Amino acid sequence: MATLMRRYGAGARWYDVLSGEKWVYRAGREAGIRLLRPRRGDTVIDLGCGTGLNFSGLLAAVGPEGRVIGIDRSVDMLAVARRRVEAMGWHDCVRLVPADAATLDPGDVVALTGGRGADAVFSTYALSVMPAREEAWRRVRAAVRPGGRAGIVDMQRPHGRWRALEPLALLACATGGADIDAHPWRLLERDAVDPGAVERAERKGGHLVAVAADLGAAITR
Ligand SMILES: C[S@@+](CC[C@H](N)C(=O)[O-])C[C@H]1O[C@@H](n2cnc3c(N)ncnc32)[C@H](O)[C@@H]1O
């Protein structure tokens, strides 16, 4: 855990350049937002938002009347996210919450939505680095209103003719502290109101998996 904190601490300012965003990981977040289909005016929680690489895509969908609530435990990653928000003039649209999702009080997030709960939760490449991902997911999901939507984008081993790239994928995950075999989208497949309506896309030889679905009834906060 201390290593993880260092990884997303001092290294935060280099994250956008060194994380492989341009060549690899942007494709997953774009696929995820497409499947999530946020609507105008929605409030979307970005779980493990890091430096805020999802914000522009989410805000483009929810419009000026929508909101993004970025939650992250790393104050250094959030500092980069804050600079992005300031540079882009998103002060009215983005709230940044420094919190460990595994111990978060969902009520604190619900309070930021005026008490009704968020319309959706989105998480990219974050649940696979959280050892307590099931608890983090349960708590953040509890801040989504009944009938809300969720999207998870994360990593797995590439397959088919892309299998030869597995060592590179493993190296990328080890560098970021991610468990490539965590497959955290299974939490969403489990919680979907209609398992038959779960939407899924793969990118980069199957290394990136985006899953989105409508959630069932709200769970206990
Ligand atoms: C690989 S980065 C992904 C950041 C961003 N979602 C993206 O797509 O670029 C993982 C992020 O999860 C955050 N994180 C890890 N464990 C967390 C936890 N328990 N609660 C909140 N954030 C956490 C880290 O601080 C880091 O910013």
Side-chain angles (χ1 to χ4, degrees), residues 49-107:
C49 66
T51 62
L53 288 170
N54 291 326
F55 293 172
S56 63
L58 292 174
L59 289 171
V62 303
E65 62 276 36
R67 298 285 177 270
V68 171
I69 299 173
I71 300 172
D72 204 286
R73 65 177 291 163
S74 163
V75 291
D76 297 290
M77 294 293 268
L78 284 181
V80 178
R82 192 162 292 112
R83 284 202 289 280
R84 186 189 303 278
V85 168
E86 281 162 13
M88 299 303 292
W90 291 333
H91 322 79
D92 294 338
C93 316
V94 178
R95 289 296 298 268
L96 298 175
V97 179
D100 180 341
T103 55
L104 174 87
D105 180 347

Side-chain angles (χ1 to χ4, degrees), residues 4 8 15 21 29 46-51 53-54 71-74 77 99-102 123-126 129-130 136 176:
L4 192 62
Y8 296 110
Y15 176 83
E21 171 67 11
R29 73 179 80 251
D46 186 348
L47 168 60
C49 66
T51 62
L53 288 170
N54 291 326
I71 300 172
D72 204 286
R73 65 177 291 163
S74 163
M77 294 293 268
D100 180 341
S123 188
T124 57
Y125 316 120
V129 309
M130 298 183 195

